Amino acid sequence: GAAMQRFLGPLLCLWALRLPAGSGAAARGLDVASYRERVRAMFYHAYEHYLESAFPYDELRPLTCDGQDTWGSFSLTLIDALDTLLILGNVSEFQRVVNVLQEGVDFDIDVNASVFETNIRGEVGFSVGFVLAFLPVRVSEACLLGSLLNTTLNTPVSPEFCVSAFQTPTGMPYGTVNLLHGVNPGETPVTCTAGIGTFIVEFATLSHLTGDPVFEDVARKALKALWKNRSDIGLVGNHIDVITAKWVAQDAGIGAGVDSYFEYLVKGAILLQDKELMSMFLEYNKAIKNYTKFDDWYLWVQMYKGTVSMPVFQSLEAYWPGLQSLIGDVDNAMRTFLNYYTVWKQFGGLPEFYNIPQGYTVDKREGYPLRPELIESAMYLYRATRDPTLLELGRDAVESIEKISKVDCGFATIKDLRDHRLDNRMESFFLAETIKYLYLLFDPDNFIHNDGSDFDVVVTPFGECVLSAGGYIFNTEAHPIDPAALHCCRKRKEEQWEVEDLMREFYSRKKTKKFTLKRAPDRGEGENAKDPEDASSEKAGEKRNSKKSSHSLLSCPSQSFNSKLAVLGQVFLDNT
């Protein structure tokens, strides 16, 4: 009804609101440009040491300057950092990494992997990001690549892998799958709620770009199964048996084990303009406020009775104010954010668990693995309010992480915020999310924040459509998706665009090329080391020209696929 229209109408541009200059940072004298460059330097300190010391392992071990595999042995940190390179304006390094990943990463391996993590960080997240991250570089080729998604990758997204985990009586997926063989016969049927409800963003994107509805269908069925099995008071628990639909862990809250389910209802609603998904979230939101919210904190309660089971704040819950901003509930979001910010100030980071009544950490949960959630919320809320307090959180995060966590080979997980002991791990989300949200907080004119004044018009066989106009949706690993791409680049069964001929020519040329991983240019080489394209894309604080550019996909067959791409940045070719 009217309430639904009120929520859905402004969602795509709410967080991209631009308020008058002179507010915010200037009022408190915070040098935004200086902090932006410090965040850039943080990224390269971690990224270059990963390339030097850890590649091709999944993660960097910063205390011993080596690497380790954690989530599946497919160079996860490099995959996760890919679109951060674009957001920082480093197009040439982005293109080089695409070459490396396309040539060298193999998902068809005998490894047991988390379905959830592989979706948001690994194969699916990479495949979606691989296509859509091209949008800031060249939108027409991105659309063409989108329609060719299943054949552009050496190891294409496999329906058998993606869907096999969902083949249960309830439609809710198993938590772990073997990347080569599918679900193991003895696999546990118990999966957390987030591990069931965090697929619609990536899977719907895959369905739209490949023309295969199976991905979106299984993701929707899983979402609806959770909805069907909510309690009489409107809450969901933490873990459920995907065979019997019986709740195994009945703690209800907004944090670990549940978090991204709620996030994807909202983001899926925005991305797909889906009123049903938004209705589901708004109903959950009522129950969450009624049973778990106390003085702008959110506790854990028993899902059937609503009685408090854990009076704790988890660091993963800090995404919630940002999510509230996406539905326009900014006042409540700010009050909760300020509660969480007090915890940060107390410790110089967010402990994994914080006992609210006692005002202190929980035993064995004192660590801070450089998580992004509070910074993520600050970024969203700053776009909506320009409140300088949000920039101050960003400042505090930069100072804390550099002082406590920075080591010679990167940034180390903080094992204990009480004494600042470190752990020998740098998780991939540090480069994918924490750095990215910090940079976007301090970069108001980044293309991600486009308010619609700049866009590209793409001519398709079915008419014109607009791309790169803003409203990007981040998946839960902070990989951005242009909502317009799902509609503009959608592959329909009747669309051919000479796919087979283009791909035959592409692969015949590609086989003659040699791909290697090269270390990123030393930051000391400065601007002299950058391509002209990079230099223009990295102009801090300079807005993109507000004009339309028109590209015709119908002209693609007029020249070779290879040459067509090479004209605009040599997306696939290593010409260095």
Side-chain angles (χ1 to χ4, degrees):
M4 183 63 61
Q5 293 175 351
R6 190 178 87 246
F7 278 111
L8 281 178
L11 284 176
L12 281 176
C13 58
L14 173 67
W15 59 274
L17 288 175
R18 293 177 179 271
L19 300 185
S23 61
R28 308 230 181 147
L30 194 151
D31 188 346
V32 172
S34 173
Y35 276 97
R36 179 174 65 244
E37 294 312 304
R38 284 178 66 179
V39 174
R40 183 194 301 275
M42 290 168 67
F43 173 83
Y44 285 113
H45 178 67
Y47 178 76
E48 292 176 2
H49 280 290
Y50 167 78
L51 293 183
E52 282 186 1
S53 304
F55 180 84
Y57 291 102
D58 282 340
E59 292 179 358
L60 170 68
R61 297 204 306 169
L63 300 185
T64 51
C65 299
D66 56 14
Q68 64 179 348
D69 283 331
T70 50
W71 293 110
S73 188
F74 37 72
S75 305
L76 186 58
T77 293
L78 196 60
I79 291 174
D80 246 358
L82 183 62
D83 47 32
T84 307
L85 287 166
L86 271 185
I87 286 172
L88 267 60
N90 195 341
V91 177
S92 63
E93 178 68 358
F94 166 81
Q95 292 168 346
R96 179 163 57 247
V97 172
V98 167
N99 292 336
V100 171
L101 293 174
Q102 190 189 10
E103 192 70 12
V105 174
D106 184 7
F107 293 105
D108 192 20
I109 51 179
D110 189 6
V111 170
N112 294 326
S114 162
V115 180
F116 170 81
E117 296 291 349
T118 304
N119 175 55
I120 66 171
R121 307 197 205 191
E123 178 175 1
V124 181
F126 167 50
S127 303
V128 172
F130 175 88
V131 173
L132 297 182
F134 281 97
L135 294 176
V137 182
R138 175 61 168 168
V139 291
S140 59
E141 275 68 27
C143 284
L144 182 58
L145 288 170
S147 70
L148 303 175
L149 178 61
N150 278 331
T151 48
T152 51
L153 299 176
N154 282 348
T155 53
V157 177
S158 163
E160 289 76 19
F161 157 66
C162 290
V163 177
S164 64
F166 291 80
Q167 293 173 350
T168 65
T170 63
M172 294 185 284
Y174 288 98
T176 303
V177 66
N178 185 282
L179 298 184
L180 187 62
H181 303 295
V183 178
N184 291 320
E187 181 61 37
T188 176
V190 177
T191 307
C192 71
T193 301
I196 293 166
T198 310
F199 293 94
I200 191 65
V201 169
E202 297 86 359
F203 277 33
T205 300
L206 284 176
S207 285
H208 281 238
L209 295 179
T210 64
D212 189 343
V214 66
F215 303 108
E216 183 172 352
D217 289 347
V218 297
R220 283 187 179 276
K221 186 175 180 181
L223 285 176
K224 291 179 179 180
L226 287 171
W227 174 253
K228 177 183 176 182
N229 287 286
R230 70 194 187 282
S231 70
D232 290 340
I233 61 174
L235 298 173
V236 290
N238 204 279
H239 284 73
I240 194 170
D241 188 310
V242 300
I243 304 298
T244 64
K246 301 295 183 185
W247 289 100
V248 176
Q250 298 180 0
D251 295 302
I254 61 170
V258 183
D259 46 8
S260 50
Y261 170 46
F262 297 136
E263 177 187 359
Y264 271 38
L265 289 175
V266 172
K267 291 182 175 179
I270 301 171
L271 186 66
L272 304 172
Q273 291 294 285
D274 190 305
K275 293 183 178 180
E276 181 183 19
L277 296 182
M278 184 58 72
S279 293
M280 291 163 65
F281 175 78
L282 294 177
E283 285 300 311
Y284 279 130
N285 198 35
K286 290 178 185 176
I288 288 166
K289 286 182 177 179
N290 287 338
Y291 294 100
T292 76
K293 186 178 181 181
F294 296 87
D295 294 331
D296 297 308
W297 295 94
Y298 292 85
L299 312 182
W300 288 85
V301 302
Q302 212 282 338
M303 65 176 288
Y304 293 105
K305 301 176 183 177
T307 53
V308 174
S309 58
M310 290 191 296
V312 299
F313 158 59
Q314 299 177 347
S315 62
L316 285 169
E317 296 172 12
Y319 78 99
W320 188 256
L323 194 65
Q324 287 177 299
S325 77
L326 285 178
I327 63 167
D329 194 6
V330 174
D331 290 341
N332 281 318
M334 278 300 298
R335 286 195 292 270
T336 296
F337 175 88
L338 292 174
N339 278 348
Y340 298 167
Y341 189 14
T342 62
V343 180
W344 182 287
K345 290 178 178 178
Q346 184 177 351
F347 296 100
L350 290 186
E352 294 286 64
F353 282 26
Y354 178 83
N355 187 299
I356 297 169
Q358 295 179 3
Y360 207 63
T361 60
V362 174
D363 187 42
K364 298 182 180 179
R365 295 291 187 274
E366 305 93 348
Y368 172 54
L370 310 182
R371 292 197 187 278
E373 282 76 16
L374 189 62
I375 301 162
E376 172 188 359
S377 285
M379 189 276 291
Y380 280 115
L381 282 167
Y382 186 68
R383 302 309 303 170
T385 69
R386 291 296 180 96
D387 187 325
T389 303
L390 300 156
L391 291 177
E392 291 169 7
L393 177 276
R395 173 202 64 198
D396 291 351
V398 171
E399 300 293 349
S400 292
I401 293 171
E402 284 201 322
K403 180 178 180 180
I404 302 171
S405 179
K406 186 176 182 180
V407 294
D408 289 343
C409 285
F411 292 87
T413 287
I414 302 171
K415 187 173 185 178
D416 193 327
L417 279 166
R418 298 171 301 177
D419 58 17
H420 296 170
R421 281 180 294 136
L422 300 178
D423 201 5
N424 194 18
R425 188 175 185 186
M426 187 183 81
E427 296 216 39
S428 70
F429 57 67
F430 178 66
L431 294 182
E433 300 183 76
T434 309
I435 290 291
K436 184 181 294 165
Y437 286 130
L438 270 174
Y439 190 82
L440 289 172
L441 178 62
F442 292 125
D443 189 19
D445 297 310
N446 196 279
F447 73 85
I448 287 290
H449 296 316
N450 186 4
D451 61 0
S453 60
D454 183 21
F455 53 90
D456 292 288
V457 174
V458 177
V459 181
T460 77
F462 303 95
E464 290 186 348
C465 59
V466 172
L467 287 175
S468 303
Y472 291 90
I473 303 300
F474 288 102
N475 85 337
T476 197
E477 192 73 6
H479 299 310
I481 297 173
D482 184 350
L486 271 67
H487 307 283
C488 187
C489 303
R490 183 168 187 170
K491 180 179 179 183
R492 299 174 178 85
K493 294 300 182 184
E494 67 271 21
E495 294 177 23
Q496 295 302 321
W497 297 348
E498 303 185 16
V499 167
E500 294 84 0
D501 291 342
L502 288 170
M503 292 314 300
R504 266 197 297 271
E505 182 173 357
F506 168 66
Y507 276 112
S508 67
R509 288 173 180 261
K510 178 183 160 203
K511 287 176 182 177
T512 67
K513 298 294 175 182
K514 189 173 183 180
F515 300 90
T516 57
L517 178 67
K518 299 180 183 66
R519 184 172 177 270
D522 226 69
R523 294 307 102 196
E525 296 171 16
E527 295 297 323
N528 295 329
K530 295 173 184 173
D531 295 338
E533 183 176 359
D534 287 339
S536 63
S537 63
E538 288 198 24
K539 288 181 181 176
E542 186 172 317
K543 293 185 180 180
R544 302 163 68 202
N545 292 329
S546 300
K547 64 179 181 179
K548 299 190 293 183
S549 55
S550 182
H551 313 301
S552 174
L553 288 177
L554 290 175
S555 67
C556 288
S558 66
Q559 56 179 288
S560 72
F561 189 47
N562 227 336
S563 299
K564 182 76 175 177
L565 290 174
V567 168
L568 295 140
Q570 296 179 296
V571 174
F572 284 116
L573 302 180
D574 188 349
N575 64 332
T576 57

